[in-house]
Amino acid sequence: MKKVGVISCSGESEPEGTIARNAVRLVMEKYRPGATVSLCLPLYLAGDEGERDFARRFPVIAVDGCGKACAKWATEKYSGKVQDCVDIGELLKEWGVSERLSRSHPGRLENEVTERVAREIIKKMDEITG
Ligand code: SF4
């Protein structure tokens, strides 16, 4: 099975960062187990060669909470171009979600958005793996 790396931003202070991490977990545990390798952004930034080497050898999708694109930026700085990326802030605009999302008390809206982001990631993974 073709492996795809998914690296989520670690936006602790932003609800979109939490959504990014939770969506990646959904993909890894529920939708594409076995095909998804989750890369740890803090470990990656700390210089872990295993994470960086994986991103050099396998396609990677960066999932970022906002346009600052920390996960994408870090991957491209240390390993090379990402195969694709997800910007949750842009998706929310596209989907017309303007309510303030909660980071600490996720409810129905946050869960729905997380599911939708997971589906976006899956779509991109399926394009990569064919
Ligand atoms: S991409 Fe945005 S939300 Fe994610 S860590 Fe960077 S600044 Fe924070």
Side-chain angles (χ1 to χ4, degrees):
M1 190 184 296
K2 193 169 178 182
K3 301 255 183 222
V4 178
V6 184
I7 186 162
S8 160
C9 84
S10 55
E12 286 292 341
S13 60
E14 302 296 331
E16 289 83 352
T18 306
I19 286 169
R21 290 197 307 282
N22 289 341
V24 168
R25 291 219 71 81
L26 269 182
V27 172
M28 201 172 73
E29 290 167 8
K30 184 172 166 191
Y31 294 117
R32 293 294 182 276
T36 318
V37 176
S38 165
L39 301 173
C40 172
L41 182 59
L43 185 59
Y44 192 93
L45 288 172
D48 186 86
E49 262 312 308
E51 301 278 300
R52 292 181 180 184
D53 189 50
F54 181 93
R56 283 182 203 113
R57 294 187 297 116
F58 292 90
V60 169
I61 299 171
V63 183
D64 280 305
C66 74
K68 287 186 180 161
C70 298
K72 178 179 178 222
W73 176 88
T75 310
E76 298 203 331
K77 180 165 183 193
Y78 295 110
S79 294
K81 270 226 148 320
V82 296
Q83 188 82 22
D84 213 334
C85 54
V86 173
D87 175 341
I88 295 176
E90 276 306 308
L91 285 177
L92 293 177
K93 277 190 218 152
E94 217 176 275
W95 296 337
V97 178
S98 53
E99 295 93 323
R100 177 90 189 126
L101 298 167
S102 170
R103 177 174 61 88
S104 52
H105 296 89
R108 194 178 54 84
L109 178 62
E110 288 79 3
N111 292 337
E112 270 174 25
V113 168
T114 304
E115 277 286 340
R116 289 183 80 176
V117 172
R119 284 169 204 284
E120 288 294 320
I121 299 168
I122 292 165
K123 226 193 290 171
K124 292 179 185 300
M125 282 184 77
D126 291 349
E127 280 166 16
I128 293 168
T129 59

